[in-house]
Amino acid sequence: MQKIVLPKDLHLFGNRVHTFPVGIKESFDALIAMLPEGLERPYYGVSWMEAGVVIYYTMAAEKFSGEAKLYSCETNLNIEKGEYLAVTVRDWMSKTDSIKDVFDGLMKDKRVATGAPCVEWYKSDEEMVCMMKSNA
């Protein structure tokens, strides 16, 4: 496990995957196709539990304030600056079934902030970082 420090809030926008876990790839593909830069910006998967149901969003990093409004996305949210506990998953496309296990391990760590969302940072087609905010 590693620590990652986000020096400033991440402003994200995107859409909920109402059929989670089915439809994640299609939602990311639609988001990437909608944006003029395509893959030339960071993408994230953000999830949390509500009443025993996983709420999952596919999201892109906002390039300028108010950008989310241009694309009529379902929501925008912020990932708070600060320290995150993280696990890097290499060759993540072949390991999508095991991502939940990575987050299960992170959630069991006493340093994770209560109620922190699970954040998947897709750095490339090969590298993805699973992160949860630290309470430290």
Side-chain angles (χ1 to χ4, degrees):
M1 190 172 312
Q2 64 201 63
K3 290 183 183 179
I4 292 177
V5 176
L6 297 180
K8 60 183 181 175
D9 289 350
L10 290 175
H11 303 285
L12 307 177
F13 64 95
N15 295 301
R16 183 173 173 185
V17 179
H18 292 278
T19 56
F20 177 85
V22 176
I24 293 173
K25 181 183 183 325
E26 293 79 5
S27 184
F28 271 117
D29 288 347
L31 185 61
I32 291 165
M34 175 180 69
L35 300 173
E37 304 87 6
L39 292 172
E40 295 181 24
R41 73 164 73 209
Y43 289 92
Y44 300 85
V46 181
S47 61
W48 61 88
M49 294 285 289
E50 281 183 18
V53 175
V54 175
I55 308 300
Y56 187 96
Y57 284 88
T58 55
M59 309 201 86
E62 197 174 52
K63 291 245 180 172
F64 55 88
S65 181
E67 182 184 21
K69 292 178 185 176
L70 293 177
Y71 298 108
S72 301
C73 287
E74 199 171 320
T75 195
N76 59 341
L77 56 88
N78 295 324
I79 301 300
E80 294 178 2
K81 68 181 178 181
E83 187 174 284
Y84 285 75
L85 300 179
V87 174
T88 298
V89 179
R90 304 219 184 272
D91 190 26
W92 64 266
M93 286 188 177
S94 69
K95 300 174 183 171
T96 56
D97 289 343
S98 67
I99 301 304
K100 65 181 178 325
D101 300 328
V102 174
F103 280 111
D104 283 343
L106 283 168
M107 284 186 254
K108 290 176 183 168
D109 193 303
K110 293 177 184 176
R111 298 172 292 169
V112 167
T114 303
C118 299
V119 179
E120 302 163 0
W121 173 18
Y122 294 92
K123 295 180 85 173
S124 70
D125 285 347
E126 292 295 318
E127 183 180 8
M128 187 258 288
V129 180
C130 298
M131 308 182 334
M132 293 189 79
K133 188 147 179 36
S134 172
N135 61 15

